[in-house]
Amino acid sequence: MYRYDEFDAAFVRERTAQFSDQVRRRISGELSEDQFRPLRLMNGLYLQLHAYMLRVAVPYGTLSSRQMRMLAHLARTYDRGYGHFTTRQNIQYNWPKLRDIPSILADLASVEMHAIQTSGNCIRNVTTDQFAGAAADEIIDPRPVGEILRQWSSLHPEFTFLPRKFKIALTGSPNDRAAIKFHDIGLMAALNGAGEIGWSVYVGGGLGRTPMIGKLINAYVPHEHLLSYLESIMRVYNRYGRRDNKYKARIKILVHEEGLETIKAQVEEEFAQVRGGRLTLPQEELDRIGAYFAPPPFKSLPVAAIDIAREKILDAAYGSWLENNLHPHRVPGYVSVTISLKPIGAAPGDATDAQMEAVADLAERYSFDELRVSHEQNLVLPHVLVSDLPAVYVALVEAGLAEGNAGLISDMIACPGLDYCALANARSIPIAQEISRRFAAPERQKEIGALKIKISGCINACGHHHVGHIGILGVEKKGTELYQITVGGDGTEAAAIGKILGPGFEAEAVPAAIERLVEAYIARRQTPDEPFISAYRRLGDAPFKEALYGTA
Amino acid sequence: MGLPKLAITPAKPDKLRALGVIALNGMFDEMDALGVLRYAIEEVLPGDIAIVSSFGADSAVLLHLVSQVDRALPVYFLETGKHFAETLAYVETLRQRFGLTRVTALHPDPADVARFDPDGQLWERDPDSCCHIRKTEPLEPVTAQFGGWVTGRKRYQTAERGVLPHFELTSDDRIKINPLAYFSDSDVNAYKAQHGLPEHPLYDKGYKSIGCAPCTSVVAAGEDPRAGRWRGFNKKECGIHFDFNGAIAKPMIGQKNLWKDGAFTADPFRAWAETDSPETARYAHVPVDVFLRNRVAFLSNPHPIGLHVSPADQVEQVEADLLRFASIAIAFPAFTDGRGYSTARLLSERFGYTGEIRAVGDVLADQVPLMRRCGITAFVVTHEPTRRALESGQLATVNLFYQPVGTTEVPVGTRPFLRRAQ
């Protein structure tokens, strides 16, 4: 894992002191809310429906057990005993007091964490694959470059007042688990003709009220020129992105309106000027940062097969946990374990302080002290010995975190919705809870198979509903909450935006509508192994439209 | 000569305001110069009044009057660096003769001279600007400290001065006292003769109104005595006397809104106006589109001009002409509009522009450090909290940087992008 050197530590310390002073000036009345607002937003502090909300960055989703324990401490000391892991691989605290913010930031700084640029119209926390550095299918660990991007984008003086927020995601695996094509910039590791690893750059993806799939702007940018290339994109966006309408200010609109070729030409022109300049990243420097992410001392083991069928007979719950919550590791004898934060009937992404402590203990004991946060709002123990799985499972059961539903219908993404968020038009969490209860039975979930449901409480799409195999969008119509259902979205490398098939449903009718979609799928799938999304692609809208609205 | 200790807070001319300018002007006989002066120094503005003297052809009369009321009255002399040697000698003569104890010379800021008049020929190219840096600017910090001023201006001198009263209220709420307002040329000569006052050494050589050497010439018999000043230029006043008779021609002291080199200073520049002409404009920030439409005229215009860059402007279009601008103003119409940061970096880093780059508009204190990193060196600030933060030096700064930005930051550590403020 990356460790702060003196420079990094001093930087965060100065920034914390700076914001603490701004908080003090706000409390003393020296700053009005209007003046304080842009400052607090630069530091991840929102004013929500009921209280301030602090969003803490988890750079590229990587945490140590020490950091996780600090997050538990913050939940216990300054909040109501829990935190909320988000689709941005961050954690949010919903009830901190303004006067406590300086202490919270100082506590975070003590474990090399911060809340810098988790909001505001700047480059946000860089996100990546939750299995980075562990996955069997990756061609490069994306975290060293992620860390370099974190540094380059931190308080960048030129790009702090962009037209709108800016999100960068990267993946080192061709199987995209970081939804890179739905970010302002998406980076996917790529090989050039000589077999060298660099990056394919996608630009102009995003969700929100105008969902767009990112477009390939450059098929191969070598590491050494990556920062120059990104700075070129940022400069073109900062200068030419629309500022007249905040709903048309993201780079996706610029790319859409001007056309990819125009933007590409502008970026190339800028790149020609800065290429080879001070932003050039020498290989030694990449290696030096990369050394922080060196693989832990794995044991040399034979491939370990897990007899899931046998385990299922012995313990059905353990069996389905093994079946769903493990991800192949690049080192034989190891797996990555997804810790589901989606227990049946709970708020997706929430974890109590005790659960965070328990997870930290497990990471320390069984995963070389490493933890990950996934954009699907789960936690990950990246490097677990297959032989340790029973012990890990027992501990998770004790912590109430042993739900074996990763990737299944009850492993939903949901935004905080109207229960917390000032922007929301409708509740999301209660809808997620109802659906979760309806499909609670493990056999039923297994029968359905891989199915991603994503729920947003408003058009801003924090719950990624556009890329849910089934998406649910809460809207407000004539004073009541109504839910639009979309089908066919996909956030992976096979990126697709879900389609609305008809009018919305009232909250009570949503679970039944989902069930009808599921039934339509089960009835028509070619084999039990054909996933929902594949069946939808093969069958088209018609059967699903009929399932939702009946025959005309 | 150091500046004498001055009153910190100017006394408010309440008395004058209570009486009204017109009533006060009716109190004294037109020729009662001494009465006017004594009343001003002793009654209206005790301890809060001073005089600026050119030590020119007529200065002896007024200084003689002053010496009869108060020899310790602060007397300022604008040592522009362009005076006749005879004038400098005359300063000494009068000081000793009248026993004046507080004569102070005010010099122009060497930085201004170096920047605006490196070859010493500014008087020829742009006499207004020359007066500005040599007279208006040096005088400003001093004028701010007094509630009133004694001048030697006379009605007969120029048509513009034809309505000059004894007492004037200036637009910045100060009082100007003109004891000699009604004196004619022969009154002055009679006074000089009556009191045996020493003559300016150049007077007998035909100089009737004496200022800086380059801008003063001999006056022919029958000519307006001030016709020898700025001969050939359409210029009558040097800018320090513009305000008279309550009519506001130009505030004597504008608000100092330009933050530069660690202090607020008076801004020599102003915004471009519709009525400005590309051939003759000076000290105006010309919008990019106006410049491009009149490029040839601006390039042959001999005066200092600036460039005004709006957020949507592309500075690439004026890259070849950047050396033409003494100052570039980047507009920030809203603090959320960050386009100007890119503009500033292009100017300073890519195009190598080393002149003043100023941010104009909605600037928050917390943005100042970011703007500086991008190459902005001056700020026109009206936002009160930002002014206070600049003055107190309490800017929220993080002095360690993760990006190679700007031209002055120094690399630290091994990462190629780490920087620290120099």
Side-chain angles (χ1 to χ4, degrees):
Chain A
M1 267 190 70
Y2 188 67
R3 295 302 311 264
Y4 281 8
D5 64 12
E6 279 175 32
F7 186 96
D8 303 309
F11 175 86
V12 171
R13 201 165 52 234
E14 281 192 27
R15 178 60 167 185
T16 302
Q18 178 189 46
F19 187 55
S20 298
D21 181 59
Q22 288 159 348
V23 169
R24 180 193 60 72
R25 279 149 63 200
R26 174 72 191 107
I27 291 173
S28 76
E30 208 176 309
L31 290 177
S32 68
E33 173 53 26
D34 268 359
Q35 291 163 342
F36 183 55
R37 189 170 174 277
L39 306 178
R40 65 172 165 76
L41 285 180
M42 295 290 299
N43 289 279
L45 189 62
Y46 284 77
L47 197 50
Q48 291 213 319
L49 279 184
H50 312 290
Y52 281 101
M53 179 272 276
L54 181 69
R55 182 181 293 156
V56 176
V58 180
Y60 35 90
T62 298
L63 285 170
S64 67
S65 55
R66 176 163 165 259
Q67 290 172 324
M68 183 61 103
R69 287 197 182 98
M70 180 55 79
L71 296 181
H73 165 77
L74 298 182
R76 199 162 44 234
T77 313
Y78 304 106
D79 205 298
R80 299 186 175 176
Y82 67 95
H84 177 75
F85 289 95
T86 78
T87 57
R88 301 269 316 132
Q89 299 182 307
N90 294 319
I91 180 168
Q92 292 179 181
Y93 294 102
N94 285 305
W95 307 96
K97 293 185 179 59
L98 182 58
R99 64 162 187 273
D100 290 335
I101 298 298
S103 313
I104 295 174
L105 294 180
D107 286 350
L108 285 169
S110 74
V111 294
E112 306 182 359
M113 293 182 77
H114 58 72
I116 298 168
Q117 287 174 216
T118 55
S119 52
N121 292 337
C122 49
I123 302 171
R124 303 288 189 88
N125 185 35
V126 174
T127 56
T128 190
D129 180 4
Q130 68 271 24
F131 300 122
D137 59 7
E138 88 181 0
I139 59 175
I140 186 178
D141 182 349
R143 294 173 302 158
V145 168
E147 171 59 23
I148 286 166
L149 293 183
R150 179 191 78 82
Q151 296 182 12
W152 159 77
S153 63
S154 289
L155 305 191
H156 196 301
E158 185 179 350
F159 306 129
T160 296
F161 295 90
L162 296 168
R164 200 75 179 82
K165 58 187 168 184
F166 203 94
K167 299 173 182 175
I168 301 176
L170 66 168
T171 174
S173 161
N175 300 307
D176 178 11
R177 290 174 286 264
I180 65 137
K181 289 184 185 171
F182 294 96
H183 285 72
D184 296 282
I185 290 179
L187 301 174
M188 181 174 270
L191 298 172
N192 67 2
E196 295 159 334
I197 300 174
W199 299 93
S200 287
V201 182
Y202 292 83
V203 69
L207 299 171
R209 64 185 63 210
T210 319
M212 299 265 184
I213 297 173
K215 298 167 182 68
L216 184 67
I217 187 168
N218 195 322
Y220 184 85
V221 178
H223 295 302
E224 62 172 336
H225 297 314
L226 185 63
L227 291 180
S228 305
Y229 194 78
L230 295 186
E231 191 146 306
S232 301
I233 295 177
M234 296 311 300
R235 180 167 284 170
V236 167
Y237 172 57
N238 188 42
R239 297 184 77 192
Y240 306 123
R242 285 182 62 174
R243 292 175 186 263
D244 58 326
N245 179 342
K246 74 178 274 197
Y247 301 120
K248 296 184 185 300
R250 295 287 288 270
I251 196 173
K252 64 190 174 189
I253 303 292
L254 181 70
V255 173
H256 178 70
E257 289 182 350
E258 301 294 319
L260 178 65
E261 289 312 310
T262 305
I263 299 303
K264 187 173 177 173
Q266 288 172 334
V267 170
E268 287 298 328
E269 198 182 325
E270 186 61 37
F271 184 46
Q273 294 276 352
V274 298
R275 183 193 167 103
R278 289 179 295 172
L279 278 168
T280 304
L281 186 65
Q283 186 61 43
E284 314 83 77
E285 197 45 42
L286 185 63
D287 292 345
R288 203 184 64 79
I289 300 277
Y292 287 107
F293 300 93
F298 292 120
K299 290 177 186 165
S300 187
L301 297 166
V303 176
I306 306 170
D307 189 347
I308 292 177
R310 176 173 173 276
E311 297 294 344
K312 270 189 144 168
I313 293 163
L314 297 173
D315 181 342
Y318 180 53
S320 44
W321 183 80
L322 290 174
E323 189 167 45
N324 298 308
N325 290 31
L326 304 187
H327 191 270
H329 201 281
R330 61 197 174 102
V331 177
Y334 289 85
V335 287
S336 298
V337 172
T338 298
I339 300 173
S340 170
L341 294 182
K342 320 288 176 59
I344 298 302
D350 278 3
T352 66
D353 62 317
Q355 288 175 327
M356 289 188 242
E357 297 278 6
V359 170
D361 290 346
L362 285 174
E364 191 171 50
R365 192 150 171 210
Y366 298 111
S367 184
F368 297 98
D369 212 29
E370 273 195 49
L371 276 165
R372 306 292 169 74
V373 182
S374 80
H375 89 270
E376 291 176 321
Q377 300 182 281
N378 292 318
L379 300 175
V380 171
L381 295 168
H383 316 295
V384 178
L385 272 173
V386 168
S387 54
D388 285 335
L389 286 172
V392 169
Y393 180 73
V394 168
L396 287 174
V397 169
E398 224 165 88
L401 291 170
E403 199 68 41
N405 64 348
L408 300 182
I409 190 168
S410 62
D411 181 11
M412 283 168 279
I413 290 182
C415 73
L418 198 52
D419 294 299
Y420 295 96
C421 179
L423 301 174
N425 302 119
R427 292 164 297 158
S428 328
I429 292 171
I431 299 292
Q433 289 168 325
E434 277 310 308
I435 295 171
S436 172
R437 289 192 192 105
R438 191 168 192 110
F439 295 98
E443 320 78 61
R444 175 70 165 146
Q445 294 195 52
K446 178 174 169 49
E447 182 195 10
I448 299 166
L451 175 53
K452 292 182 192 294
I453 296 182
K454 302 181 196 262
I455 308 172
S456 302
C458 79
I459 192 82
N460 293 307
C462 298
H464 294 190
H465 66 274
H466 295 299
V467 293
H469 299 157
I470 297 175
I472 301 173
L473 165 65
V475 295
E476 193 244 294
K477 255 188 192 142
K478 295 174 189 152
T480 58
E481 297 167 39
L482 217 57
Y483 294 85
Q484 288 179 345
I485 295 178
T486 59
V487 180
D490 188 343
T492 70
E493 66 284 357
I497 292 163
K499 274 175 75 174
I500 299 175
L501 300 182
F505 295 84
E506 288 184 7
E508 301 71 42
V510 172
I514 302 301
E515 182 128 44
R516 291 201 298 279
L517 286 175
V518 167
E519 284 307 326
Y521 150 66
I522 290 175
R524 286 168 180 79
R525 66 187 178 191
Q526 284 176 322
T527 67
D529 289 338
E530 185 186 35
F532 179 92
I533 187 66
S534 307
Y536 169 80
R537 285 184 181 143
R538 178 174 55 80
L539 294 162
D541 300 341
F544 298 96
K545 193 167 179 177
E546 190 189 324
L548 285 176
Y549 303 105
T551 43
Chain B
M1 276 181 279
L3 286 181
K5 201 171 165 63
L6 300 164
I8 289 165
T9 317
K12 284 290 169 195
D14 291 334
K15 217 166 201 169
L16 180 100
R17 230 180 271 103
L19 287 169
V21 174
I22 294 167
L24 202 55
N25 280 325
M27 278 175 63
F28 298 89
D29 182 85
E30 286 183 356
M31 299 307 290
D32 186 6
L34 193 60
V36 168
L37 195 60
R38 191 181 301 282
Y39 186 78
I41 293 174
E42 294 178 355
E43 300 292 328
V44 183
L45 297 158
D48 191 25
I49 186 166
I51 179 170
V52 180
S53 177
S54 64
F55 288 86
D58 297 342
S59 299
V61 175
L62 188 60
L63 293 172
H64 182 250
L65 288 167
V66 165
S67 70
Q68 293 170 61
V69 179
D70 179 9
R71 289 182 173 184
L73 189 80
V75 177
Y76 292 96
F77 169 59
L78 289 161
E79 193 358 347
T80 60
K82 294 284 181 187
H83 281 297
F84 294 104
E86 290 86 343
T87 301
L88 302 180
Y90 192 49
V91 172
E92 222 19 58
T93 308
L94 294 188
R95 190 180 68 75
Q96 287 177 17
R97 165 78 185 268
F98 300 149
L100 300 171
T101 60
R102 292 171 72 188
V103 178
T104 305
L106 300 175
H107 300 267
D109 181 346
D112 278 350
V113 174
R115 178 162 158 238
F116 296 112
D117 191 11
D119 59 355
Q121 301 296 309
L122 184 61
W123 63 270
E124 192 174 16
R125 287 195 301 277
D126 184 2
D128 278 350
S129 299
C130 192
C131 283
H132 186 90
I133 64 167
R134 293 196 153 79
K135 296 182 176 181
T136 313
E137 286 275 346
L139 195 54
E140 263 193 15
V142 177
T143 49
Q145 302 180 61
F146 291 95
W149 290 86
V150 181
T151 88
R153 289 174 299 162
K154 304 163 198 75
R155 289 184 161 216
Y156 81 90
Q157 284 172 322
T158 62
E160 284 82 1
R161 290 177 176 179
V163 294
L164 195 72
H166 280 146
F167 295 90
E168 291 174 86
L169 189 60
T170 67
S171 55
D172 62 333
D173 240 11
R174 285 186 164 73
I175 299 165
K176 279 194 175 177
I177 317 293
N178 309 305
L180 305 179
Y182 297 88
F183 273 48
S184 68
D185 192 21
S186 55
D187 292 330
V188 170
N189 289 331
Y191 188 99
K192 285 186 200 166
Q194 190 190 338
H195 296 92
L197 302 184
E199 202 70 81
H200 191 291
L202 293 176
Y203 187 78
D204 287 339
K205 295 178 181 167
Y207 293 88
K208 301 300 175 202
S209 175
I210 302 168
C212 294
C215 293
T216 302
S217 58
V218 173
V219 182
E223 233 184 343
D224 181 334
R226 279 175 71 84
R229 303 288 294 280
W230 301 289
R231 197 182 283 280
F233 293 102
N234 179 23
K235 180 172 168 72
K236 294 283 186 285
E237 297 280 4
C238 66
I240 65 174
H241 285 317
F242 257 116
D243 238 312
F244 59 89
N245 202 25
I248 300 168
K250 178 179 173 189
M252 195 161 165
I253 300 179
Q255 200 189 359
K256 297 182 173 178
N257 281 338
L258 179 65
W259 176 264
K260 205 182 167 187
D261 302 328
F264 277 108
T265 124
D267 186 355
F269 278 88
R270 57 178 177 76
W272 176 258
E274 284 292 314
T275 51
D276 283 337
S277 133
E279 289 80 12
T280 59
R282 55 182 59 142
Y283 288 104
H285 282 109
V286 183
V288 169
D289 59 327
V290 173
F291 178 82
L292 290 172
R293 276 202 306 277
N294 305 279
R295 182 172 173 271
V296 174
F298 278 112
L299 292 181
S300 57
N301 171 335
H303 309 298
I305 55 168
L307 183 70
H308 182 270
V309 185
S310 292
D313 286 335
Q314 288 182 265
V315 282
E316 292 91 332
Q317 295 180 312
V318 291
E319 182 188 348
D321 299 322
L322 289 175
L323 284 176
R324 177 65 191 85
F325 306 109
S327 163
I328 296 180
I330 298 178
F332 289 87
F335 76 84
T336 50
D337 191 332
R339 283 176 283 185
Y341 295 87
S342 290
T343 303
R345 285 194 70 194
L346 289 173
L347 286 172
S348 61
E349 294 176 36
R350 184 162 304 164
F351 304 144
Y353 178 77
T354 55
E356 170 191 288
I357 302 179
R358 56 167 71 180
V360 178
D362 193 9
V363 176
L364 301 182
D366 304 84
Q367 296 180 307
V368 168
L370 301 175
M371 289 181 169
R372 282 189 173 142
R373 292 191 60 201
C374 289
I376 290 169
T377 52
F379 303 86
V380 174
V381 185
T382 50
H383 186 58
E384 198 44 48
T386 305
R387 288 181 66 90
R388 281 200 304 274
L390 283 166
E391 277 179 323
S392 64
Q394 287 179 340
L395 287 169
T397 45
V398 172
N399 290 308
L400 297 172
F401 314 130
Y402 275 115
Q403 312 80 17
V405 167
T407 54
T408 59
E409 298 167 0
V410 295
V412 292
T414 59
R415 281 163 276 180
F417 39 88
L418 295 189
R419 291 293 188 279
R420 189 166 49 217
Q422 190 153 33

